[in-house]
Amino acid sequence: MAVEITPAQNGNMGSAVTGFTVAGATAEDYAALRQAVYRDRIIVLKDQQDITPEEFVELGRHFGTIVPYYEETYHHPDHPEIFVSSNLSADGRPLGVPRTGRFWHADYMFAQEPLSVTVFAQKILPPGRRGTYFIDMVKAFRDLPESLKQEARVTRASHSVRRFFKIRPGDVFRPLGDLIREVEKISPPAVHNTVVTHPVTGEEILYVSEGFTDHLIGAERDSLLRDLLEASGQLDETFTDPHIVLHTYEPGEIVIWDNRALVHCALHATDPSAPVMSHRVTTVDGHPFDANPTPAGRGAGTGSAK
Ligand code: 7UC
Ligand code: FE
């Protein structure tokens, strides 16, 4: 069966991909999928229920170099490249970490080299709605009033994992101060431009999130970060802001997204005791994270001379 990519209609995100198998995929198929990820931001591979962990890792490799998560508690027991979110146990040990990513973020936003592409599979679907909310931060930037765009362009943003670092099983009875020091040492805050230039599409991305962005550097007022988050829809607790789209998972789907251009927020099962498990692999794609990374190199064509 030939691989078919059907772009989403009516300005929605997410192309549907049918006819794909890791065993049958050609180099041309992968090139087309990569192109679709950057063009459509999200692609949804259908009918992948039989994919093995080895094949899942191989799939990921076609989107760049796989970066295993820096905290081992999240690793798949046999495949450290796979990040496991689950409330299950295996051999008396927790399998991955439960209820991850329940806040607006891009994966690894707090890393010196943030991730390019996320490949995500909901392996065990709980009853009810399980999905991921997404915001296209290229569109969110485009929709800003010109004055806010200019303010954002001349600032940088500091991102940190500290608010969402998860206590590991071995941390019980450790002094909190030690743990905080360790977190700051292993994952110190990372600074990136507030407006990142996408190396593949050339688009400007408003690269801030409610969960990981701690503060802006070089802003003329303290309220700028809040205003940017608000305008993008990330402060809307009802999730009805027009920038927010929800993808709910059907059995067998693998969702691949452009992790530079999107922020996301997990929608977990309403019943926390229902068994649930997801796998993901994440990559850096070989393009620079930001095509225009130096603050000094900014301003060309923006009319700002700060
Ligand atoms: O447990 C979690 O919510 C994981 C989060 C702190 N980091 C995911 C990531 O890729 O940045
Ligand atoms: Fe995430």
Side-chain angles (χ1 to χ4, degrees):
M1 193 159 69
V3 173
E4 228 175 284
I5 304 176
T6 313
Q9 305 294 309
N10 312 323
N12 286 331
M13 272 193 284
S15 297
V17 179
T18 54
F20 175 87
T21 59
V22 170
T26 64
E28 290 75 40
D29 291 335
Y30 281 117
L33 294 186
R34 280 193 298 271
Q35 198 188 25
V37 169
Y38 295 122
R39 183 191 59 212
D40 305 335
R41 320 252 195 253
I42 303 177
I43 62 172
V44 182
L45 275 50
K46 304 287 191 182
D47 307 318
Q48 301 300 311
Q49 41 278 323
D50 297 329
I51 195 167
T52 64
E54 289 80 9
E55 288 176 324
F56 188 65
V57 171
E58 191 192 327
L59 170 64
R61 284 205 192 101
H62 288 275
F63 294 88
T65 304
I66 293 182
V67 182
Y69 199 64
Y70 78 107
E71 277 293 341
E72 259 177 52
T73 29
Y74 293 80
H75 290 184
H76 186 291
D78 306 319
H79 302 276
E81 303 93 331
I82 300 179
F83 171 112
V84 182
S85 176
S86 177
N87 55 7
L88 303 177
S89 297
D91 303 324
R93 294 180 53 204
L95 203 54
V97 175
R99 296 175 87 78
T100 62
R102 241 183 125 197
F103 50 92
W104 285 110
H105 67 288
D107 292 331
Y108 251 38
M109 200 167 193
F110 53 87
Q112 307 305 315
E113 165 110 55
L115 299 164
S116 318
V117 176
T118 297
V119 180
F120 181 90
Q122 188 67 44
K123 302 299 283 182
I124 301 176
L125 262 176
R129 280 196 328 166
R130 166 68 176 95
T132 306
Y133 292 106
F134 291 95
I135 295 173
D136 181 342
M137 295 301 285
V138 171
K139 181 162 194 313
F141 185 72
R142 220 182 276 141
D143 290 347
L144 289 178
E146 205 52 42
S147 59
L148 267 185
K149 285 185 186 168
Q150 291 298 4
E151 279 189 273
R153 280 193 187 108
V154 296
T155 67
R156 309 196 93 201
S158 177
H159 311 280
S160 165
V161 74
R162 64 173 80 95
R163 273 172 59 211
F164 291 99
F165 178 86
K166 305 287 161 60
I167 304 298
R168 300 157 295 196
D171 293 326
V172 175
F173 302 131
R174 285 185 65 192
L176 187 54
D178 285 1
L179 191 57
I180 291 171
R181 259 193 304 280
E182 186 189 322
V183 170
E184 293 301 313
K185 190 163 169 236
I186 296 175
S187 47
V191 174
H192 304 291
N193 287 329
T194 305
V195 183
V196 164
T197 306
H198 200 296
V200 178
T201 68
E203 293 163 306
E204 288 179 296
I205 306 159
L206 178 59
Y207 197 69
V208 293
S209 75
E210 200 282 322
F212 285 158
T213 309
D214 189 60
H215 61 278
L216 300 184
I217 299 164
E220 282 184 357
R221 57 192 176 93
D222 290 341
S223 49
L224 180 58
L225 177 58
R226 209 199 128 78
D227 285 357
L228 295 173
L229 292 171
E230 170 91 58
S232 73
Q234 293 183 47
L235 302 184
D236 178 5
E237 286 172 9
T238 67
F239 291 93
T240 53
D241 185 282
H243 289 108
I244 302 175
V245 296
L246 171 64
H247 181 84
T248 48
Y249 295 100
E250 283 169 29
E253 284 182 349
I254 291 181
V255 176
I256 305 178
W257 69 79
D258 180 338
N259 189 57
R260 287 184 183 88
L262 303 179
V263 292
H264 60 279
C265 173
L267 168 64
H268 286 291
T270 28
D271 172 7
S273 67
V276 57
M277 181 166 68
S278 67
H279 285 175
R280 83 167 207 213
V281 289
T282 44
T283 71
V284 290
D285 59 8
H287 299 285
F289 168 66
D290 181 348
N292 187 13
T294 52
R298 307 175 71 68
T302 67
S304 94
K306 276 187 69 175

